[in-house]
Amino acid sequence: MSEQMPEPGNGPGVPRWVKVVGIVLGVLVLLLVLAQLTGIAGDHGPGRHSRGLDAPAVRAPGGTPGVR
């Protein structure tokens, strides 16, 4: 019974740079979510680049819309 069992946690673990990168990315994602929820990030989304359904039709100069 001279064998000793290895203690848990003494093996190779996650490198420090992986932990640091994970923490930094987590903080950035949290900041982006908070900025979006509080309105600091501005008006973003798919409706920002479209006219919407209630926008008036654009008429060509001197004619009817869509007719050349």
Side-chain angles (χ1 to χ4, degrees):
M1 293 259 174
S2 63
E3 280 185 45
Q4 292 183 347
M5 296 293 291
E7 294 184 26
N10 286 342
V14 179
R16 182 177 293 161
W17 69 269
V18 174
K19 292 178 184 179
V20 170
V21 168
I23 291 170
V24 168
L25 287 177
V27 168
L28 287 176
V29 168
L30 181 64
L31 287 175
L32 289 173
V33 168
L34 286 175
Q36 188 67 34
L37 290 176
T38 59
I40 295 172
D43 185 25
H44 289 82
R48 182 177 182 184
H49 301 287
S50 64
R51 293 185 312 154
L53 296 176
D54 57 347
V58 177
R59 295 187 177 262
T64 58
V67 177
R68 291 185 177 204

